[in-house]
Amino acid sequence: MSYKKSKNNAGDNIITSKSNWSFGGDVPKTFDQHIKKSVPLYDLVHDLCLKYSEFFIRDGANVYDIGSSTGTLIDKICKRNNQKKFEITGIDTQINMIKKAQEINKSNINANFIHGDIQQLNLIKSSLFFSLFTMQFIHPSERQKVYDIVYKNLEWGGGFIFFEKVRGPDARFQDMLNTIYSEYKLEAGYNETEILNKTLSLKGIMEPFTSEANIEFCARAGFKDIMVIFRFLCFEGYLAIK
């Protein structure tokens, strides 16, 4: 599948055709630049992950990042906790993302990467799971299974930190969120055609839920202690503790 790049901003990999969105192909080369423009306060999201990670990562800990993409977060986690002896594994279904992550993390001896689907892997008990804007791309019929897997493979007291795009609680709020988010993307440098075509490309690919629904996924998996740790427009972050 091929993608046409925006001529307005060098380095962007914006879909300007109506093809379905994919994280494969050449996307890993410009993924970090693109997501920083598409997700407000993305650097703050990473910063929060780093700060919260220190509550769960200790010597001998095992950590997973579901949908690790280019491995940029894992690189930061390794550097933030460089005085501790722990293992962190990134999981991604796109082989080119894995290759890019291995390149970025080549100096991090405690970082590993697996090309595969978390539902098909044998995991070990862990103190922390990350998932940054990944659950929204898992088909709704399969999503609860992933929450269940995370809960099952967490140690008691372990944490699940995840961020998602969310829908408004009703049509009026959703309309407001869509409008303001579109304004944000225009201010970030995207034009109307790019915004529309990105929306069309994600039909059937990305399925965000409401904040309440995301918390219910956690509760059905077994989590009782769940807190919203980030909220800006249609993006939220959560911490669930087993």
Side-chain angles (χ1 to χ4, degrees):
M1 185 179 298
S2 62
Y3 302 93
K4 297 179 181 178
K5 296 184 180 180
S6 164
K7 297 179 181 179
N8 297 331
N9 300 284
D12 286 336
N13 194 1
I14 310 301
I15 296 177
T16 54
S17 70
K18 296 181 181 179
S19 303
N20 284 341
W21 171 259
S22 168
F23 288 101
D26 291 334
V27 170
K29 295 179 181 178
T30 55
F31 176 79
D32 287 334
Q33 299 96 307
H34 171 63
I35 197 167
K36 285 183 180 181
K37 288 181 60 180
S38 298
V39 177
L41 305 176
Y42 188 71
D43 286 334
L44 176 60
V45 167
H46 272 201
D47 189 55
L48 285 172
C49 289
L50 297 179
K51 288 181 168 65
Y52 277 105
S53 75
E54 294 177 304
F55 289 97
F56 300 97
I57 296 178
R58 64 186 188 284
D59 284 340
N62 186 68
V63 181
Y64 286 104
D65 183 9
I66 307 169
S68 52
S69 63
T70 62
T72 301
L73 176 62
I74 288 180
D75 181 49
K76 293 177 181 179
I77 293 291
C78 290
K79 289 178 169 57
R80 179 81 173 201
N81 297 275
N82 62 358
Q83 300 301 315
K84 303 171 186 176
K85 296 180 180 179
F86 69 100
E87 295 290 327
I88 182 167
T89 301
I91 302 169
D92 205 283
T93 59
Q94 297 294 331
I95 187 62
N96 286 348
M97 285 291 192
I98 293 292
K99 291 177 180 178
K100 183 66 175 179
Q102 289 172 331
E103 177 186 334
I104 288 175
N105 286 271
K106 59 185 177 183
S107 62
N108 295 322
I109 60 174
N110 50 340
N112 307 289
F113 295 91
I114 297 175
H115 174 225
D117 185 335
I118 189 173
Q119 297 184 64
Q120 308 299 324
L121 302 176
N122 292 320
L123 307 180
I124 62 176
K125 286 289 185 179
S126 303
S127 64
L128 182 61
F129 276 80
F130 289 104
S131 173
L132 268 59
F133 309 106
T134 298
M135 294 294 192
Q136 62 204 37
F137 289 100
I138 297 173
H139 194 275
S141 65
E142 301 292 320
R143 202 170 302 184
Q144 184 63 57
K145 296 177 185 178
V146 179
Y147 283 92
D148 294 345
I149 289 169
V150 171
Y151 185 82
K152 177 183 176 182
N153 288 281
L154 271 176
E155 300 170 345
W156 188 260
F160 180 31
I161 298 171
F162 66 103
F163 288 77
E164 290 283 280
K165 185 178 182 182
V166 298
R167 285 198 168 110
D170 64 28
R172 177 177 56 175
F173 287 118
Q174 178 64 18
D175 184 57
M176 291 177 180
L177 287 173
N178 279 340
T179 301
I180 296 174
Y181 184 44
S182 293
E183 289 176 345
Y184 166 83
K185 288 187 284 188
L186 287 170
E187 291 166 358
Y190 299 134
N191 62 46
E192 292 86 347
T193 301
E194 290 170 333
I195 293 170
L196 175 59
N197 285 332
K198 179 67 177 295
T199 299
L200 293 174
S201 74
L202 289 170
K203 286 173 61 177
I205 304 295
M206 185 178 72
E207 186 70 28
F209 279 44
T210 64
S211 177
E212 181 181 7
N214 288 334
I215 291 173
E216 287 174 351
F217 276 120
C218 288
R220 283 192 294 268
F223 289 103
K224 293 182 174 60
D225 300 316
I226 308 161
M227 178 175 68
V228 174
I229 58 174
F230 174 90
R231 179 180 286 126
F232 187 82
L233 295 180
C234 49
F235 298 92
E236 288 188 355
Y238 310 82
L239 169 61
I241 299 177
K242 184 172 179 177

